[in-house]
Amino acid sequence: MIMRVIKDDITALDVDIIVNAANKSLLGGGGVDGAIHRASGPKLLEECRSLNGCNTGESKMTDAYNLPCKKIIHTVGPIYYYDKENSKELLENCYKSSMSLAEEYRINNNLEKITIAFPCISTGVYAYPKKEACKIAINTIKEINNDNIEVIFVCFDLENYNIYMEELKNE
Ligand code: AR6
């Protein structure tokens, strides 16, 4: 299981799949979602409109249009103060459902290995405590233990980057 962390803008990455921290409408928003829609272009919104939204913890895949990556997986993280005691399971489900879609993509395209890049889901507007969210991300990916998918955690802010560096040191 390869996991690593970088500090970067996820829209710039030339990987197989990037994950978007979207909302249930899948029709765009602020934060990483806004950045992805701006960089990908209007065709992304058009495709997203056809998906009829997405439940919290679930994921849907689209093309990447003007982005350098090949596909985008849109997942909906929990809203920490709204989803409350279900937040942990819902955040785990985001990583699980995204990894399932990524594995399906890998198999359908006869690829030996792929790389997926995750943002720090729910740790912005949705206010999930960063350290807890980081532990959930790492542990969920570790449990899935898929050697054919390289996972990159993409941190935009220095605080998340330092947390991930610290947590991954112990892996
Ligand atoms: N690349 C990588 N990470 C980024 C980027 C970027 N370009 N921009 C921000 N981040 P947020 P959420 C980081 O708020 O908490 C949207 O409006 C950011 O520093 O984007 O899941 C959606 O439409 C933070 O660590 O997502 C939803 O309504 C992380 O991405 C809502 O926000 C997540 O922050 C989702 O909230």
Side-chain angles (χ1 to χ4, degrees):
M1 188 77 244
I2 305 170
M3 286 188 279
R4 57 194 181 92
V5 56
I6 59 171
K7 191 176 173 304
D8 210 335
D9 176 348
I10 204 165
T11 63
L13 301 183
D14 184 6
V15 293
D16 296 286
I17 299 170
I18 67 166
V19 176
N20 181 18
N23 58 60
K24 283 186 183 177
S25 78
L26 296 185
L27 299 180
V32 69
D33 194 9
I36 287 172
H37 274 271
R38 272 194 302 278
S40 177
K43 283 192 173 158
L44 176 60
L45 183 58
E46 208 178 296
E47 185 176 354
C48 284
R49 279 212 180 91
S50 72
L51 298 176
N52 294 315
C54 183
N55 290 325
T56 307
E58 295 178 5
S59 304
K60 294 189 177 178
M61 185 183 273
T62 66
D63 280 335
Y65 302 99
N66 296 332
L67 290 178
C69 61
K70 304 210 170 49
K71 292 281 176 184
I72 305 169
I73 290 176
H74 306 263
T75 192
V76 182
I79 303 171
Y80 193 69
Y81 294 105
Y82 176 80
D83 289 302
K84 298 201 169 85
E85 62 273 8
N86 297 325
S87 285
K88 181 170 189 274
E89 192 185 345
L90 290 169
L91 188 58
E92 286 169 359
N93 289 346
C94 287
Y95 288 93
K96 287 182 191 166
S97 57
S98 297
M99 288 295 280
S100 298
L101 282 182
E103 178 65 0
E104 202 178 301
Y105 169 83
R106 188 187 71 76
I107 290 169
N108 289 343
N109 291 279
N110 289 315
L111 301 168
E112 200 181 328
K113 275 189 193 294
I114 58 168
T115 301
I116 185 170
F118 283 96
C120 307
I121 301 164
S122 284
T123 68
V125 180
Y126 284 178
Y128 209 108
K130 291 179 181 176
K131 194 163 183 167
E132 281 178 50
C134 168
K135 286 184 174 166
I136 290 166
I138 291 172
N139 287 333
T140 308
I141 296 299
K142 226 168 72 178
E143 258 176 44
I144 293 168
N145 194 24
N146 185 336
D147 284 333
N148 301 317
I149 305 180
E150 180 192 10
V151 173
I152 304 178
F153 296 112
V154 185
C155 300
F156 199 58
D157 57 291
L158 189 60
E159 197 188 343
N160 260 321
Y161 179 72
N162 288 333
I163 291 169
Y164 271 83
M165 286 295 279
E166 189 60 35
E167 292 296 324
L168 280 173
K169 223 167 53 184
N170 308 319
E171 294 304 322

